[in-house]
Amino acid sequence: MLAGRLNVTTRTFSVEEVPTPRPGPGEVLVKVEAAGVCLSDVHLIDGTLTPLHLPGDTVTLGHEVAGVVAEPGPGVTRRRPGQRVLLQAGEERDGVVWTRGVDYDGGWAEYAVATESTLVELPGDLPFEQAAIIPDAVSTPWAAVTATARTEPARPAGVWGAGGLGAHGVQLLRLVGAAPIIVVDPLPEARERSLAFGADMAFSPGDPELPARVRGETGGTGLAVAFDFAGVPAVREQAVRCLGPGGRLVLVGLTDQPLTISDGTAFSYFQQQVLGHYGSSDEHVVQLVELVRRHRLDFSRSVSGVLPLAEAREAVDRLLRKEGNPVRLILRP
């Protein structure tokens, strides 16, 4: 079968022929129908990210995966051939979380093996391209909005960075009733898209009057919660200046740069908080699938392009160039 393989020692990526895997006890072989291209995949290729638990030096990328059960392994009782499923982006092994497509082979391939418990059945009317992005592209902002930030209805929320995660963050904040939703992004196309996804207003981070504008739009109080989906230090400093009393800054985008709070006295006086966030839990993916099943969410606008698996390198390059300002590019074997 074809698979997109990365050597994490040399950072060499190629789409090549490899043996089709076989499911072991408690495992399921899934025929991949769609796999998302995430910025984390790009960072694995460029060396910004390194697997923590990968045995060996080569892995099939792809942690956003949906497909059809091809073959249940020995002892599997709840999965049958032809069942439409998505794959959780990781699993716990001996108390440690392993990430699919990072610590073990993922879904940039014609077939993938998954532990039975990591499969979530899909509604029949949900296209595979939309289903694939639920683990991570949607579940990460969903967990940030609901679990880490504890977002409350009718309270103002800010989103810095309206790319793959932030665009969904806007959509999910609207679902839980945050109001107003204010987006900050340097790209005019991203700001325009955020309004289509449900933002009430969108500003450029280069606007020198941004904190004043935010306070003007929030009745003078500032933001109850701000999300950094960009992972940029300057974004975090700007977002803190837009927080209201008791406001929370949630760090979703990743960076190895230090966090600076220029006015620590005001930060403490107003009892503001900075909260780190990473990924999501299995329950968040299950919740999102149920919301889609009940037609509370629509991800049709999230699929910015579909490329064949053989063109995975081109998909990575398009994401790096931000060509077309994509929310998510999809690989289809």
Side-chain angles (χ1 to χ4, degrees):
M1 69 171 188
L2 280 181
R5 302 279 285 170
L6 173 69
N7 184 304
V8 298
T9 300
T10 64
R11 302 294 168 170
T12 302
F13 174 78
S14 62
V15 179
E16 57 193 62
E17 289 280 350
V18 300
T20 301
R22 307 300 305 168
E27 295 180 337
V28 176
L29 181 67
V30 175
K31 182 182 184 298
V32 176
E33 296 290 346
V37 181
C38 175
L39 199 57
S40 297
D41 300 309
V42 175
H43 290 330
L44 283 164
I45 294 172
D46 68 20
T48 305
L49 294 178
T50 298
L52 294 177
H53 312 298
L54 177 68
D57 59 6
T58 306
V59 66
T60 299
L61 297 181
H63 56 274
E64 299 179 346
V65 191
V68 174
V69 172
E71 181 186 345
V76 171
T77 59
R78 293 183 292 117
R79 305 300 172 195
R80 64 188 184 277
Q83 191 176 42
R84 307 173 80 253
V85 294
L86 63 72
L87 285 59
Q88 294 279 9
E91 62 182 88
E92 186 175 304
R93 301 182 182 180
D94 299 322
V96 177
V97 175
W98 288 47
T99 302
R100 187 183 308 280
V102 179
D103 300 310
Y104 62 101
D105 286 343
W108 286 15
E110 293 181 82
Y111 290 89
V113 168
T115 304
E116 179 182 19
S117 61
T118 65
L119 300 181
V120 180
E121 187 172 1
L122 296 173
D125 59 351
L126 177 60
F128 288 113
E129 293 86 355
Q130 297 175 36
I133 67 173
I134 291 177
D136 192 20
V138 187
S139 65
T140 291
W142 177 245
V145 165
T146 59
T148 299
R150 306 181 307 279
T151 305
E152 298 175 303
R155 299 293 306 281
V159 168
W160 270 257
L165 294 178
H168 292 120
V170 170
Q171 189 176 7
L172 298 167
L173 283 165
R174 192 170 185 91
L175 180 67
V176 301
I181 301 169
I182 300 173
V183 166
V184 182
D185 195 290
L187 298 177
E189 301 91 342
R191 295 197 296 271
E192 182 177 348
R193 180 178 63 206
S194 72
L195 295 172
F197 272 60
D200 293 290
M201 57 214 68
F203 300 121
S204 167
D207 186 343
E209 299 300 316
L210 178 63
R213 292 184 189 279
V214 170
R215 296 192 185 282
E217 297 290 349
T218 58
T221 64
L223 299 172
V225 60
F227 296 89
D228 169 26
F229 287 109
V232 177
V235 157
R236 298 172 170 190
E237 295 179 48
Q238 186 177 66
V240 166
R241 295 198 300 273
C242 295
L243 291 177
R248 301 180 296 280
L249 170 62
V250 180
L251 309 181
V252 185
L254 303 179
T255 176
D256 59 0
Q257 297 302 304
L259 170 67
T260 302
I261 297 175
S262 57
D263 190 346
T265 299
F267 187 84
S268 295
Y269 179 79
F270 290 113
Q271 298 182 308
Q272 295 164 336
Q273 300 176 37
V274 176
L275 303 170
H277 179 84
Y278 184 82
S280 61
S281 300
D282 289 357
E283 64 184 22
H284 297 116
V285 173
V286 173
Q287 290 168 359
L288 288 164
V289 171
E290 181 62 18
L291 288 168
V292 172
R293 189 189 314 276
R294 302 294 181 180
H295 303 289
R296 299 298 197 274
L297 287 168
D298 175 14
F299 301 130
S300 59
R301 297 170 297 181
S302 301
V303 178
S304 304
V306 179
L307 290 81
L309 174 61
E311 297 179 17
R313 181 81 237 190
E314 170 62 20
V316 169
D317 292 341
R318 281 175 57 176
L319 186 59
L320 270 174
R321 298 193 303 264
K322 296 186 177 180
E323 184 179 316
N325 192 25
V327 177
R328 264 302 185 268
L329 296 173
I330 301 296
L331 297 177
R332 184 132 196 174

